[in-house]
Amino acid sequence: MKVKIEMTGGLEILFKNQKNHTYEFKDRDTMPLRELVVWMRDTQIQERPELFVEDSTVRPGILVLINDADWELDGGIEYIVEDGDTLSFISTLHGG
Amino acid sequence: MLKAKVLIVGAGGLGCPVALYLACAGVGTIGIVDYDAVELGNLHRQVGHTESRQGVSKAESLAMSIKERNSDIQTIVHETMFTSDTAMEIVQHYDIVIDASDNVATRYLCNDCCILAGKPLVSGSALKWDGQLTVYNYGPTCPCYRCIFPTPPPADTVTKCSDGGVLGPIVGVIGSMQALEAIKIISKVDGVLAGRLVIYDGQQATFKTVRLRTRRPNCVVCGDAPTITQLIDYTQFCQSPYSESSGKAADRIDTNLIVSCKDYHQHVYTTNSPHILLDVRPKIQFDICSIPNSINIPVDELNKSDNINKIDQLISHDSSLPSMLQKLTNQYHHLILLLILIFHSDCMYREKESNVVIKHIRDGLLGWSDDIDPSFPIY
């Protein structure tokens, strides 16, 4: 399976300062989102992983989109990621 | 349009374009709430203020800009902090609230206040190259800010415009869109951005509009059985202050814990009373200039265990230090030009319950240059 990941709102800083990523898992057809998120934390972030994951879910203040819709519409962290999905992680902004 | 009453919370980068467009569109009453004064460093993004109005209150300055464009508009200047004590009284006089604030505590405050008062909330935010925009409390299925963000983000993950910067045109785009949403709500046209979020990436030049969840029945403020029925202390809830301004330590710190540069210099520095002078600016600034015998720990790193140990070694052991520093980090997060003293037990500023007292030196290095050492470089 292949998934596209987008980071915005400054979260890309944690991920090699790149906004767009593609992850391929050749031996998998699906993957629980929780597993993917923890995998991202453990393998893709160099420092301050606590800014991404807290209590084995995405930390408060980050909005997650599954194929451009709020992840709550699809079960949140319990969602099962499928081949071709696009996941967006958006750090909410407070400035102005 | 002339009958409409709109409140703008924050006369900064977002509030300026909102106010100017609403004024030109003929929105009859525009209220502005802001506690800050215009500074030169604001002008690149806060287009409703001018060089000649430096030092003038932002709310007043923006009201002047409105009047210059459309003298028919009634402006109401709320030159006060927007807090749980003041918000409800202000908001009830308006039809629509624009969240153009710059901090997370005010965002939760605006949300709860609008839910409780039954006002639509047009919320915009921006940082660096990015902007976000949505409308809360508009229609029965529309989620509120708390439906989407029930838990505030950890204080140390929040970046401010004054730290991270924001490009003027980014707040210009988002502020203009907030004005447009307000006009749509006033004119009762379809297509209001409720239940959807616009995400603007100015660097990639992309807009994305995404579907948000619907109102959560178990939301603590807009749900079916709300537990929040009056405003709470949002600075405590968010562990961060209402203002991102660096100039108002006195609003957040007990005045007994603030000393002037003169007092510090006269009673502590020159008499060499036992103390630590801690300079919490970023290291690069400390390396450019510093007060002799001060030590540097950047404010972002104050609660790292290495640094707590470092300070701990400099004073007699005190078990309350880590928690004090934790509190300090939360309280002082934005005070870039801040100096903090940590005194020994025999110091004149001793407090009974603890042998460590942490004090803030008012005006920091600017005060030091003004009052003590005119040769100290200002940058």
Side-chain angles (χ1 to χ4, degrees), chain B residues 108-301:
Chain B
Y108 278 98
L109 170 62
C110 282
N111 180 72
D112 290 6
C113 191
C114 283
I115 298 290
L116 296 175
K119 314 285 181 186
L121 174 64
V122 182
S123 177
S125 59
L127 184 70
K128 296 181 183 170
W129 292 88
D130 294 314
Q132 293 167 2
L133 173 78
T134 188
V135 175
Y136 296 117
N137 203 31
Y138 189 77
T141 59
C142 179
C144 80
Y145 190 61
R146 278 190 194 258
C147 291
I148 301 166
F149 301 109
T151 312
D156 63 351
T157 64
V158 176
T159 311
K160 315 279 167 305
C161 283
S162 54
D163 294 348
V166 65
L167 278 102
I170 300 288
V171 278
V173 166
I174 300 298
S176 303
M177 293 179 77
Q178 284 181 279
L180 183 62
E181 291 305 315
I183 289 168
K184 284 158 66 179
I185 293 170
I186 293 165
S187 356
K188 299 188 171 68
V189 298
D190 289 342
V192 171
L193 190 71
R196 293 179 297 154
L197 173 74
V198 166
I199 300 162
Y200 175 48
D201 179 339
Q203 207 208 329
Q204 302 291 320
T206 56
F207 277 97
K208 192 181 229 183
T209 306
V210 302
R211 267 189 312 135
L212 293 172
R213 67 199 70 178
T214 51
R215 184 179 69 87
R216 285 158 63 119
N218 61 348
C219 175
V220 292
V221 64
C222 79
D224 297 337
T227 54
I228 292 179
T229 52
Q230 56 183 20
L231 299 178
I232 61 169
D233 182 343
Y234 295 88
T235 57
Q236 196 183 18
F237 177 62
C238 300
Q239 290 293 301
S240 62
Y242 284 127
S243 169
E244 73 156 34
S245 164
S246 59
K248 298 201 180 63
D251 291 341
R252 303 198 287 279
I253 304 166
D254 185 342
T255 48
N256 294 327
L257 297 180
I258 300 177
V259 293
S260 69
C261 282
K262 276 184 183 157
D263 278 349
Y264 165 68
H265 184 256
Q266 188 181 344
H267 297 299
V268 184
Y269 192 79
T270 52
T271 61
N272 208 19
S273 302
H275 72 284
I276 298 167
L277 178 59
L278 183 61
D279 184 332
V280 297
R281 290 173 298 156
K283 184 172 183 301
I284 190 166
Q285 294 183 23
F286 182 82
D287 289 344
I288 294 169
C289 57
S290 65
I291 295 174
N293 301 324
S294 59
I295 65 163
N296 176 232
I297 301 175
V299 67
D300 291 341
E301 298 168 24

Side-chain angles (χ1 to χ4, degrees), chain B residues 320-345:
Chain B
S320 67
L321 194 59
S323 66
M324 288 177 78
L325 279 177
Q326 176 67 52
K327 193 173 151 208
L328 202 65
T329 316
N330 292 334
Q331 237 178 354
Y332 291 82
H333 199 70
H334 326 305
L335 302 184
I336 303 303
L337 271 183
L338 180 72
L339 302 172
I340 298 161
L341 304 169
I342 299 176
F343 293 95
H344 270 283
S345 53

